[in-house]
Amino acid sequence: MKHTLTGKIIKKHLVSGDLKPGTELAIKIDQTLTQDATGTMAYLEFLNFNLPKIATKLSVSYVDHNTLQAGFENADDHAFLQSVAEKYGLYFSKPGNGICHQVHLERFAKPGTTLIGSDSHTPTAGGIGALAIGVGGLEIASALAGYPFSLTCPSVVGVHLTGKLPAWSSSKDVILYILKLLTVKGGVNKVFEYFGDGVKSLSVPERATITNMGAELGATSSIFPSDINTKAFLSAFGRAKDYIAMSADKDANYESIIEINLSKIEPLIAMPHSPDIVKSVAEVKGIKINQVAVGSCTNSSYKDLMLAAKILKGKKIHKEVSFIVAPGSKTILNALIKNGHLSYFLEAGARIIESACGPCIGMGHAPASGAISIRTFNRNFKGRSGTADASVMLASVEVAVASAIKGELTDPRTLGAYPKFPALINFESDTSLLLSPLPLKKRDAIKIIMGPNIKPLPTAKPLADNLSGKILIKTGHNITTDDIMPAGAKILPLRSNIPEISKHVFIKLDPEFYSRAIKENGGFIVGGDNYGQGSSREHAALAPLHLGVKAVIVKTFARIHKANLINFGILPLVFDNPADYEKLYANDSLELFNVVKALRAGRKIKARTRGLDFELIYQLSEREKEILIAGGKINFIKKELSK
Ligand code: MIC
Ligand code: SF4
């Protein structure tokens, strides 16, 4: 039997189930990561279990999203997170240390290990050969409590890379090319595994750009083999001992294979407002732009920033353009300070900001009204930048910087010779903002700090057999968790306060949603295809739970959001006949009959509205059904722990 790399890692970590795509299996988790915007909930959930310590080998709590601190809320969250890390033995990455995925790649990610993170871009670590999966916070809490992680066994798609990227094309263009091919729903329940001769031309951070944006395909994960480039990257961070060579067997059995000749890849760009609306830059060049941002967990590595600095050397940013740079980690920022390259940015007219997510999640640097912004980021959903009518395009560093100089969308191939510079072989291991776990004997004295913005979690009641209420909203297709529960500078600080943040559910699609949900005492959500794509934020389930949402009925779900609904006891249901979607309207009354009995018997659920009878189905494992019936995973685990 020839194994894929994914298959090998799963096999090594398998706790239950088989490697049969579509069935549920459980794996042991070696590492976890959280970031602050999802982490406060994850740790509140963990505290609920009343356990003395964490059960994982290595867990890191990062602060990188909410670093604006316009009020006390974010700083309160940081203090809470630090106190939890100290009490329970986690690493703590303080604000300013960098973006979780970049820092994790540099300091902790290891080939052949399993990692779950409460952030959808956790598969960034696939660039180093880890099987890394984005999850809701409650999965992290469960892993910290010692539970294996359950998932639908993914099918493994092979991506066969040949050739070498031409000058001015980059690994960002490779993933944009795949997004164009497969769209934002093309990867659900799949792992994209890269192999072939072309792999060796890509460094770990370049690979990580690709695995990072595999999240935009809706994929479970993406992974590269671990080879001499992996070894070089680990050595540069003083971690040569973490290296092991890992790859798929030759002629491994892939579900399907995508062939990509890297030498044919040209500079591409994702147009507003979805990462899969991809065009070649040559085709759409000339569009006047107002803002350019380089950074985010997709493109803020040493190579990315050095390249930008080299291109900018001796040049100026166009006077109509605001150019923002957020280095991925403090280590990278410091390297550019020490080698003098940071000054090329400053001399060109760049605005250097903290090593954090920043504008990627709408924390500052919102574009002007109607502005066009080119960003090296991974998501360009409408309004995510903080400006409702701005347009964001996603591109490589090469395209972004060329455009910043010219003031319009520019093909970087017009810039002349491609800058050359050596890879850095020795990064300083500065840990001034990265705190190691406290020694055991010091942990007892630590008190958990909970500021006034940190409110208790809502909990669901056990599932009732008959459910009734109004359809509170009917959405279209590809609804993102940014649509359900927006982020940005005003709303993100409320992540630890579910009653407050609930006032913003669906606010961009339907400002009356909150008041209607309160008036109707909860109800149902109806949606189309790929409902809940994008981020891992549990708040897109927790806030609807707080508002009394009982079930979400759609054509198809995105993976992480569906898991979050289950974890919080909201039924994720699917139309048996997709055409019934057309027959339902907002404000209709809806009844679901004998739900618990149907789930236990594996039968379709009968539903009725306006005299119309129809049926609903579900893709749920027996374990997931029991979680839903118990009223969510917290209730379920508490029951198990009390046994
Ligand atoms: C994102 O990129 O949307 C985020 C913010 O990193 C989210 C997590 C969150 O909403 O806190 C993600 O990707 O999971
Ligand atoms: Fe942060 Fe943006 Fe990456 Fe999300 S996608 S982790 S907000 S940098």
PDB file of all heavy atoms in Angstrom, residues 61-95:
ATOM      1  N   SER A  61      -0.440  30.319  23.345  1.00  0.00           N
ATOM      2  CA  SER A  61      -1.501  31.325  23.300  1.00  0.00           C
ATOM      3  C   SER A  61      -0.895  32.605  22.728  1.00  0.00           C
ATOM      4  O   SER A  61       0.008  33.191  23.328  1.00  0.00           O
ATOM      5  CB  SER A  61      -2.015  31.533  24.728  1.00  0.00           C
ATOM      6  OG  SER A  61      -2.899  32.614  24.794  1.00  0.00           O
ATOM      7  N   TYR A  62      -1.351  32.998  21.548  1.00  0.00           N
ATOM      8  CA  TYR A  62      -0.803  34.183  20.874  1.00  0.00           C
ATOM      9  C   TYR A  62      -1.743  35.374  21.029  1.00  0.00           C
ATOM     10  O   TYR A  62      -2.962  35.197  21.058  1.00  0.00           O
ATOM     11  CB  TYR A  62      -0.647  33.915  19.368  1.00  0.00           C
ATOM     12  CG  TYR A  62       0.402  32.880  19.019  1.00  0.00           C
ATOM     13  CD1 TYR A  62       0.064  31.532  18.864  1.00  0.00           C
ATOM     14  CD2 TYR A  62       1.727  33.244  18.833  1.00  0.00           C
ATOM     15  CE1 TYR A  62       1.023  30.588  18.532  1.00  0.00           C
ATOM     16  CE2 TYR A  62       2.697  32.304  18.501  1.00  0.00           C
ATOM     17  CZ  TYR A  62       2.333  30.976  18.353  1.00  0.00           C
ATOM     18  OH  TYR A  62       3.282  30.039  18.026  1.00  0.00           O
ATOM     19  N   VAL A  63      -1.165  36.556  21.073  1.00  0.00           N
ATOM     20  CA  VAL A  63      -1.973  37.774  20.987  1.00  0.00           C
ATOM     21  C   VAL A  63      -1.523  38.521  19.735  1.00  0.00           C
ATOM     22  O   VAL A  63      -0.387  39.006  19.667  1.00  0.00           O
ATOM     23  CB  VAL A  63      -1.803  38.657  22.232  1.00  0.00           C
ATOM     24  CG1 VAL A  63      -2.643  39.923  22.096  1.00  0.00           C
ATOM     25  CG2 VAL A  63      -2.210  37.893  23.492  1.00  0.00           C
ATOM     26  N   ASP A  64      -2.387  38.574  18.745  1.00  0.00           N
ATOM     27  CA  ASP A  64      -2.011  39.213  17.481  1.00  0.00           C
ATOM     28  C   ASP A  64      -3.171  39.915  16.779  1.00  0.00           C
ATOM     29  O   ASP A  64      -2.958  40.752  15.919  1.00  0.00           O
ATOM     30  CB  ASP A  64      -1.394  38.175  16.526  1.00  0.00           C
ATOM     31  CG  ASP A  64      -2.298  36.976  16.291  1.00  0.00           C
ATOM     32  OD1 ASP A  64      -3.400  36.930  16.870  1.00  0.00           O
ATOM     33  OD2 ASP A  64      -1.919  36.061  15.533  1.00  0.00           O
ATOM     34  N   HIS A  65      -4.403  39.577  17.139  1.00  0.00           N
ATOM     35  CA  HIS A  65      -5.554  40.153  16.431  1.00  0.00           C
ATOM     36  C   HIS A  65      -5.973  41.494  17.038  1.00  0.00           C
ATOM     37  O   HIS A  65      -6.029  42.510  16.381  1.00  0.00           O
ATOM     38  CB  HIS A  65      -6.739  39.189  16.481  1.00  0.00           C
ATOM     39  CG  HIS A  65      -6.655  38.074  15.487  1.00  0.00           C
ATOM     40  ND1 HIS A  65      -5.653  37.144  15.491  1.00  0.00           N
ATOM     41  CD2 HIS A  65      -7.460  37.742  14.446  1.00  0.00           C
ATOM     42  CE1 HIS A  65      -5.853  36.287  14.489  1.00  0.00           C
ATOM     43  NE2 HIS A  65      -6.942  36.638  13.846  1.00  0.00           N
ATOM     44  N   ASN A  66      -6.300  41.432  18.332  1.00  0.00           N
ATOM     45  CA  ASN A  66      -6.834  42.607  19.032  1.00  0.00           C
ATOM     46  C   ASN A  66      -5.716  43.382  19.699  1.00  0.00           C
ATOM     47  O   ASN A  66      -5.595  43.381  20.932  1.00  0.00           O
ATOM     48  CB  ASN A  66      -7.799  42.135  20.120  1.00  0.00           C
ATOM     49  CG  ASN A  66      -9.196  41.948  19.595  1.00  0.00           C
ATOM     50  OD1 ASN A  66      -9.663  42.719  18.771  1.00  0.00           O
ATOM     51  ND2 ASN A  66      -9.869  40.930  20.092  1.00  0.00           N
ATOM     52  N   THR A  67      -4.916  44.068  18.911  1.00  0.00           N
ATOM     53  CA  THR A  67      -3.795  44.766  19.540  1.00  0.00           C
ATOM     54  C   THR A  67      -3.968  46.282  19.476  1.00  0.00           C
ATOM     55  O   THR A  67      -3.076  47.027  19.843  1.00  0.00           O
ATOM     56  CB  THR A  67      -2.457  44.369  18.885  1.00  0.00           C
ATOM     57  OG1 THR A  67      -2.526  44.693  17.505  1.00  0.00           O
ATOM     58  CG2 THR A  67      -2.187  42.886  19.031  1.00  0.00           C
ATOM     59  N   LEU A  68      -5.140  46.722  19.031  1.00  0.00           N
ATOM     60  CA  LEU A  68      -5.346  48.159  18.856  1.00  0.00           C
ATOM     61  C   LEU A  68      -5.519  48.882  20.197  1.00  0.00           C
ATOM     62  O   LEU A  68      -5.068  50.002  20.369  1.00  0.00           O
ATOM     63  CB  LEU A  68      -6.580  48.378  17.966  1.00  0.00           C
ATOM     64  CG  LEU A  68      -6.569  49.586  17.052  1.00  0.00           C
ATOM     65  CD1 LEU A  68      -5.325  49.651  16.193  1.00  0.00           C
ATOM     66  CD2 LEU A  68      -7.804  49.566  16.148  1.00  0.00           C
ATOM     67  N   GLN A  69      -6.199  48.246  21.124  1.00  0.00           N
ATOM     68  CA  GLN A  69      -6.371  48.784  22.474  1.00  0.00           C
ATOM     69  C   GLN A  69      -6.937  50.207  22.504  1.00  0.00           C
ATOM     70  O   GLN A  69      -6.422  51.084  23.192  1.00  0.00           O
ATOM     71  CB  GLN A  69      -5.048  48.685  23.245  1.00  0.00           C
ATOM     72  CG  GLN A  69      -4.680  47.231  23.493  1.00  0.00           C
ATOM     73  CD  GLN A  69      -3.287  47.026  24.042  1.00  0.00           C
ATOM     74  OE1 GLN A  69      -2.489  46.320  23.475  1.00  0.00           O
ATOM     75  NE2 GLN A  69      -3.006  47.663  25.177  1.00  0.00           N
ATOM     76  N   ALA A  70      -8.026  50.397  21.760  1.00  0.00           N
ATOM     77  CA  ALA A  70      -8.695  51.704  21.769  1.00  0.00           C
ATOM     78  C   ALA A  70      -9.431  51.922  23.094  1.00  0.00           C
ATOM     79  O   ALA A  70      -9.777  53.046  23.433  1.00  0.00           O
ATOM     80  CB  ALA A  70      -9.661  51.793  20.604  1.00  0.00           C
ATOM     81  N   GLY A  71      -9.703  50.853  23.815  1.00  0.00           N
ATOM     82  CA  GLY A  71     -10.309  50.934  25.144  1.00  0.00           C
ATOM     83  C   GLY A  71      -9.681  49.855  25.999  1.00  0.00           C
ATOM     84  O   GLY A  71      -8.724  49.212  25.579  1.00  0.00           O
ATOM     85  N   PHE A  72     -10.268  49.610  27.153  1.00  0.00           N
ATOM     86  CA  PHE A  72      -9.676  48.648  28.091  1.00  0.00           C
ATOM     87  C   PHE A  72      -9.874  47.190  27.662  1.00  0.00           C
ATOM     88  O   PHE A  72      -9.186  46.290  28.129  1.00  0.00           O
ATOM     89  CB  PHE A  72     -10.298  48.831  29.487  1.00  0.00           C
ATOM     90  CG  PHE A  72     -11.772  48.490  29.495  1.00  0.00           C
ATOM     91  CD1 PHE A  72     -12.209  47.222  29.867  1.00  0.00           C
ATOM     92  CD2 PHE A  72     -12.719  49.415  29.083  1.00  0.00           C
ATOM     93  CE1 PHE A  72     -13.556  46.889  29.839  1.00  0.00           C
ATOM     94  CE2 PHE A  72     -14.077  49.083  29.055  1.00  0.00           C
ATOM     95  CZ  PHE A  72     -14.489  47.831  29.431  1.00  0.00           C
ATOM     96  N   GLU A  73     -10.832  46.961  26.755  1.00  0.00           N
ATOM     97  CA  GLU A  73     -11.282  45.586  26.500  1.00  0.00           C
ATOM     98  C   GLU A  73     -10.145  44.664  26.046  1.00  0.00           C
ATOM     99  O   GLU A  73      -9.986  43.556  26.564  1.00  0.00           O
ATOM    100  CB  GLU A  73     -12.405  45.554  25.455  1.00  0.00           C
ATOM    101  CG  GLU A  73     -13.714  46.177  25.905  1.00  0.00           C
ATOM    102  CD  GLU A  73     -13.782  47.663  25.596  1.00  0.00           C
ATOM    103  OE1 GLU A  73     -12.737  48.257  25.260  1.00  0.00           O
ATOM    104  OE2 GLU A  73     -14.874  48.230  25.702  1.00  0.00           O
ATOM    105  N   ASN A  74      -9.389  45.114  25.047  1.00  0.00           N
ATOM    106  CA  ASN A  74      -8.342  44.241  24.503  1.00  0.00           C
ATOM    107  C   ASN A  74      -7.284  43.942  25.557  1.00  0.00           C
ATOM    108  O   ASN A  74      -6.845  42.797  25.701  1.00  0.00           O
ATOM    109  CB  ASN A  74      -7.670  44.870  23.283  1.00  0.00           C
ATOM    110  CG  ASN A  74      -8.628  45.028  22.109  1.00  0.00           C
ATOM    111  OD1 ASN A  74      -8.343  45.754  21.179  1.00  0.00           O
ATOM    112  ND2 ASN A  74      -9.758  44.357  22.154  1.00  0.00           N
ATOM    113  N   ALA A  75      -6.878  44.982  26.274  1.00  0.00           N
ATOM    114  CA  ALA A  75      -5.833  44.793  27.288  1.00  0.00           C
ATOM    115  C   ALA A  75      -6.328  43.845  28.384  1.00  0.00           C
ATOM    116  O   ALA A  75      -5.561  43.028  28.910  1.00  0.00           O
ATOM    117  CB  ALA A  75      -5.421  46.141  27.863  1.00  0.00           C
ATOM    118  N   ASP A  76      -7.616  43.942  28.709  1.00  0.00           N
ATOM    119  CA  ASP A  76      -8.187  42.997  29.687  1.00  0.00           C
ATOM    120  C   ASP A  76      -8.073  41.563  29.168  1.00  0.00           C
ATOM    121  O   ASP A  76      -7.716  40.641  29.909  1.00  0.00           O
ATOM    122  CB  ASP A  76      -9.680  43.302  29.916  1.00  0.00           C
ATOM    123  CG  ASP A  76      -9.881  44.429  30.912  1.00  0.00           C
ATOM    124  OD1 ASP A  76      -8.896  45.120  31.239  1.00  0.00           O
ATOM    125  OD2 ASP A  76     -11.034  44.609  31.362  1.00  0.00           O
ATOM    126  N   ASP A  77      -8.391  41.398  27.905  1.00  0.00           N
ATOM    127  CA  ASP A  77      -8.282  40.062  27.302  1.00  0.00           C
ATOM    128  C   ASP A  77      -6.847  39.554  27.380  1.00  0.00           C
ATOM    129  O   ASP A  77      -6.600  38.391  27.700  1.00  0.00           O
ATOM    130  CB  ASP A  77      -8.715  40.087  25.829  1.00  0.00           C
ATOM    131  CG  ASP A  77     -10.232  40.153  25.665  1.00  0.00           C
ATOM    132  OD1 ASP A  77     -10.946  40.033  26.678  1.00  0.00           O
ATOM    133  OD2 ASP A  77     -10.693  40.322  24.523  1.00  0.00           O
ATOM    134  N   HIS A  78      -5.899  40.445  27.069  1.00  0.00           N
ATOM    135  CA  HIS A  78      -4.492  40.019  27.091  1.00  0.00           C
ATOM    136  C   HIS A  78      -4.095  39.552  28.496  1.00  0.00           C
ATOM    137  O   HIS A  78      -3.401  38.546  28.657  1.00  0.00           O
ATOM    138  CB  HIS A  78      -3.550  41.159  26.660  1.00  0.00           C
ATOM    139  CG  HIS A  78      -3.887  41.749  25.316  1.00  0.00           C
ATOM    140  ND1 HIS A  78      -3.322  42.909  24.846  1.00  0.00           N
ATOM    141  CD2 HIS A  78      -4.735  41.321  24.332  1.00  0.00           C
ATOM    142  CE1 HIS A  78      -3.814  43.180  23.631  1.00  0.00           C
ATOM    143  NE2 HIS A  78      -4.667  42.228  23.315  1.00  0.00           N
ATOM    144  N   ALA A  79      -4.542  40.309  29.507  1.00  0.00           N
ATOM    145  CA  ALA A  79      -4.192  39.954  30.889  1.00  0.00           C
ATOM    146  C   ALA A  79      -4.808  38.599  31.255  1.00  0.00           C
ATOM    147  O   ALA A  79      -4.169  37.753  31.892  1.00  0.00           O
ATOM    148  CB  ALA A  79      -4.667  41.045  31.844  1.00  0.00           C
ATOM    149  N   PHE A  80      -6.049  38.392  30.826  1.00  0.00           N
ATOM    150  CA  PHE A  80      -6.720  37.109  31.077  1.00  0.00           C
ATOM    151  C   PHE A  80      -5.926  35.968  30.434  1.00  0.00           C
ATOM    152  O   PHE A  80      -5.605  34.959  31.073  1.00  0.00           O
ATOM    153  CB  PHE A  80      -8.149  37.156  30.513  1.00  0.00           C
ATOM    154  CG  PHE A  80      -8.834  35.812  30.442  1.00  0.00           C
ATOM    155  CD1 PHE A  80      -9.243  35.160  31.598  1.00  0.00           C
ATOM    156  CD2 PHE A  80      -9.072  35.194  29.216  1.00  0.00           C
ATOM    157  CE1 PHE A  80      -9.873  33.912  31.537  1.00  0.00           C
ATOM    158  CE2 PHE A  80      -9.699  33.955  29.142  1.00  0.00           C
ATOM    159  CZ  PHE A  80     -10.101  33.315  30.305  1.00  0.00           C
ATOM    160  N   LEU A  81      -5.574  36.162  29.168  1.00  0.00           N
ATOM    161  CA  LEU A  81      -4.870  35.109  28.430  1.00  0.00           C
ATOM    162  C   LEU A  81      -3.516  34.795  29.056  1.00  0.00           C
ATOM    163  O   LEU A  81      -3.127  33.630  29.183  1.00  0.00           O
ATOM    164  CB  LEU A  81      -4.696  35.526  26.964  1.00  0.00           C
ATOM    165  CG  LEU A  81      -5.996  35.589  26.162  1.00  0.00           C
ATOM    166  CD1 LEU A  81      -5.780  36.297  24.827  1.00  0.00           C
ATOM    167  CD2 LEU A  81      -6.562  34.186  25.930  1.00  0.00           C
ATOM    168  N   GLN A  82      -2.809  35.851  29.471  1.00  0.00           N
ATOM    169  CA  GLN A  82      -1.492  35.621  30.078  1.00  0.00           C
ATOM    170  C   GLN A  82      -1.648  34.848  31.389  1.00  0.00           C
ATOM    171  O   GLN A  82      -0.879  33.924  31.672  1.00  0.00           O
ATOM    172  CB  GLN A  82      -0.760  36.954  30.305  1.00  0.00           C
ATOM    173  CG  GLN A  82       0.635  36.752  30.904  1.00  0.00           C
ATOM    174  CD  GLN A  82       1.534  37.975  30.770  1.00  0.00           C
ATOM    175  OE1 GLN A  82       1.228  38.921  30.046  1.00  0.00           O
ATOM    176  NE2 GLN A  82       2.656  37.956  31.471  1.00  0.00           N
ATOM    177  N   SER A  83      -2.666  35.224  32.168  1.00  0.00           N
ATOM    178  CA  SER A  83      -2.827  34.535  33.458  1.00  0.00           C
ATOM    179  C   SER A  83      -3.189  33.062  33.247  1.00  0.00           C
ATOM    180  O   SER A  83      -2.705  32.188  33.958  1.00  0.00           O
ATOM    181  CB  SER A  83      -3.854  35.255  34.349  1.00  0.00           C
ATOM    182  OG  SER A  83      -5.160  35.150  33.816  1.00  0.00           O
ATOM    183  N   VAL A  84      -4.008  32.774  32.228  1.00  0.00           N
ATOM    184  CA  VAL A  84      -4.361  31.367  31.953  1.00  0.00           C
ATOM    185  C   VAL A  84      -3.110  30.600  31.518  1.00  0.00           C
ATOM    186  O   VAL A  84      -2.841  29.482  31.987  1.00  0.00           O
ATOM    187  CB  VAL A  84      -5.458  31.260  30.867  1.00  0.00           C
ATOM    188  CG1 VAL A  84      -5.661  29.812  30.443  1.00  0.00           C
ATOM    189  CG2 VAL A  84      -6.767  31.840  31.373  1.00  0.00           C
ATOM    190  N   ALA A  85      -2.311  31.225  30.630  1.00  0.00           N
ATOM    191  CA  ALA A  85      -1.096  30.554  30.144  1.00  0.00           C
ATOM    192  C   ALA A  85      -0.180  30.234  31.323  1.00  0.00           C
ATOM    193  O   ALA A  85       0.367  29.124  31.420  1.00  0.00           O
ATOM    194  CB  ALA A  85      -0.382  31.441  29.122  1.00  0.00           C
ATOM    195  N   GLU A  86      -0.033  31.190  32.215  1.00  0.00           N
ATOM    196  CA  GLU A  86       0.882  30.976  33.348  1.00  0.00           C
ATOM    197  C   GLU A  86       0.346  29.905  34.297  1.00  0.00           C
ATOM    198  O   GLU A  86       1.085  29.076  34.804  1.00  0.00           O
ATOM    199  CB  GLU A  86       1.111  32.306  34.081  1.00  0.00           C
ATOM    200  CG  GLU A  86       1.947  33.255  33.213  1.00  0.00           C
ATOM    201  CD  GLU A  86       2.266  34.584  33.862  1.00  0.00           C
ATOM    202  OE1 GLU A  86       1.640  34.934  34.885  1.00  0.00           O
ATOM    203  OE2 GLU A  86       3.151  35.285  33.324  1.00  0.00           O
ATOM    204  N   LYS A  87      -0.953  29.923  34.511  1.00  0.00           N
ATOM    205  CA  LYS A  87      -1.525  28.968  35.464  1.00  0.00           C
ATOM    206  C   LYS A  87      -1.476  27.531  34.934  1.00  0.00           C
ATOM    207  O   LYS A  87      -1.278  26.583  35.688  1.00  0.00           O
ATOM    208  CB  LYS A  87      -2.980  29.359  35.758  1.00  0.00           C
ATOM    209  CG  LYS A  87      -3.680  28.446  36.734  1.00  0.00           C
ATOM    210  CD  LYS A  87      -4.391  29.222  37.808  1.00  0.00           C
ATOM    211  CE  LYS A  87      -4.695  28.368  39.010  1.00  0.00           C
ATOM    212  NZ  LYS A  87      -3.818  28.617  40.128  1.00  0.00           N
ATOM    213  N   TYR A  88      -1.664  27.363  33.627  1.00  0.00           N
ATOM    214  CA  TYR A  88      -1.846  26.003  33.111  1.00  0.00           C
ATOM    215  C   TYR A  88      -0.673  25.477  32.279  1.00  0.00           C
ATOM    216  O   TYR A  88      -0.734  24.370  31.757  1.00  0.00           O
ATOM    217  CB  TYR A  88      -3.155  25.919  32.320  1.00  0.00           C
ATOM    218  CG  TYR A  88      -4.356  26.087  33.220  1.00  0.00           C
ATOM    219  CD1 TYR A  88      -4.986  27.317  33.358  1.00  0.00           C
ATOM    220  CD2 TYR A  88      -4.818  25.015  33.991  1.00  0.00           C
ATOM    221  CE1 TYR A  88      -6.060  27.477  34.211  1.00  0.00           C
ATOM    222  CE2 TYR A  88      -5.888  25.167  34.852  1.00  0.00           C
ATOM    223  CZ  TYR A  88      -6.506  26.399  34.962  1.00  0.00           C
ATOM    224  OH  TYR A  88      -7.551  26.551  35.817  1.00  0.00           O
ATOM    225  N   GLY A  89       0.380  26.284  32.120  1.00  0.00           N
ATOM    226  CA  GLY A  89       1.572  25.747  31.451  1.00  0.00           C
ATOM    227  C   GLY A  89       1.606  25.899  29.951  1.00  0.00           C
ATOM    228  O   GLY A  89       2.083  25.009  29.252  1.00  0.00           O
ATOM    229  N   LEU A  90       1.120  27.018  29.453  1.00  0.00           N
ATOM    230  CA  LEU A  90       1.216  27.281  28.013  1.00  0.00           C
ATOM    231  C   LEU A  90       2.309  28.318  27.744  1.00  0.00           C
ATOM    232  O   LEU A  90       2.654  29.112  28.617  1.00  0.00           O
ATOM    233  CB  LEU A  90      -0.104  27.858  27.478  1.00  0.00           C
ATOM    234  CG  LEU A  90      -1.306  26.927  27.417  1.00  0.00           C
ATOM    235  CD1 LEU A  90      -2.058  26.948  28.737  1.00  0.00           C
ATOM    236  CD2 LEU A  90      -2.243  27.337  26.289  1.00  0.00           C
ATOM    237  N   TYR A  91       2.820  28.296  26.525  1.00  0.00           N
ATOM    238  CA  TYR A  91       3.638  29.422  26.061  1.00  0.00           C
ATOM    239  C   TYR A  91       2.709  30.607  25.845  1.00  0.00           C
ATOM    240  O   TYR A  91       1.546  30.429  25.474  1.00  0.00           O
ATOM    241  CB  TYR A  91       4.316  29.089  24.735  1.00  0.00           C
ATOM    242  CG  TYR A  91       5.527  28.192  24.871  1.00  0.00           C
ATOM    243  CD1 TYR A  91       5.399  26.807  24.846  1.00  0.00           C
ATOM    244  CD2 TYR A  91       6.792  28.736  25.010  1.00  0.00           C
ATOM    245  CE1 TYR A  91       6.505  25.980  24.957  1.00  0.00           C
ATOM    246  CE2 TYR A  91       7.912  27.925  25.124  1.00  0.00           C
ATOM    247  CZ  TYR A  91       7.757  26.553  25.097  1.00  0.00           C
ATOM    248  OH  TYR A  91       8.852  25.743  25.207  1.00  0.00           O
ATOM    249  N   PHE A  92       3.234  31.809  26.023  1.00  0.00           N
ATOM    250  CA  PHE A  92       2.423  33.000  25.795  1.00  0.00           C
ATOM    251  C   PHE A  92       3.188  33.976  24.907  1.00  0.00           C
ATOM    252  O   PHE A  92       4.275  34.434  25.260  1.00  0.00           O
ATOM    253  CB  PHE A  92       2.055  33.663  27.125  1.00  0.00           C
ATOM    254  CG  PHE A  92       1.132  34.838  26.961  1.00  0.00           C
ATOM    255  CD1 PHE A  92      -0.153  34.654  26.476  1.00  0.00           C
ATOM    256  CD2 PHE A  92       1.541  36.128  27.281  1.00  0.00           C
ATOM    257  CE1 PHE A  92      -1.017  35.731  26.297  1.00  0.00           C
ATOM    258  CE2 PHE A  92       0.690  37.212  27.120  1.00  0.00           C
ATOM    259  CZ  PHE A  92      -0.590  37.005  26.622  1.00  0.00           C
ATOM    260  N   SER A  93       2.615  34.256  23.760  1.00  0.00           N
ATOM    261  CA  SER A  93       3.255  35.177  22.817  1.00  0.00           C
ATOM    262  C   SER A  93       2.573  36.534  22.951  1.00  0.00           C
ATOM    263  O   SER A  93       1.404  36.699  22.599  1.00  0.00           O
ATOM    264  CB  SER A  93       3.115  34.619  21.398  1.00  0.00           C
ATOM    265  OG  SER A  93       3.659  35.503  20.457  1.00  0.00           O
ATOM    266  N   LYS A  94       3.303  37.491  23.492  1.00  0.00           N
ATOM    267  CA  LYS A  94       2.704  38.784  23.839  1.00  0.00           C
ATOM    268  C   LYS A  94       2.414  39.624  22.591  1.00  0.00           C
ATOM    269  O   LYS A  94       2.998  39.393  21.540  1.00  0.00           O
ATOM    270  CB  LYS A  94       3.656  39.553  24.777  1.00  0.00           C
ATOM    271  CG  LYS A  94       3.851  38.845  26.119  1.00  0.00           C
ATOM    272  CD  LYS A  94       4.788  39.599  27.030  1.00  0.00           C
ATOM    273  CE  LYS A  94       4.116  40.836  27.603  1.00  0.00           C
ATOM    274  NZ  LYS A  94       4.971  41.490  28.620  1.00  0.00           N
ATOM    275  N   PRO A  95       1.497  40.603  22.732  1.00  0.00           N
ATOM    276  CA  PRO A  95       1.223  41.461  21.580  1.00  0.00           C
ATOM    277  C   PRO A  95       2.511  42.120  21.089  1.00  0.00           C
ATOM    278  O   PRO A  95       3.330  42.556  21.907  1.00  0.00           O
ATOM    279  CB  PRO A  95       0.239  42.506  22.122  1.00  0.00           C
ATOM    280  CG  PRO A  95       0.193  42.322  23.602  1.00  0.00           C
ATOM    281  CD  PRO A  95       0.688  40.952  23.908  1.00  0.00           C
TER     282      PRO A  95
END
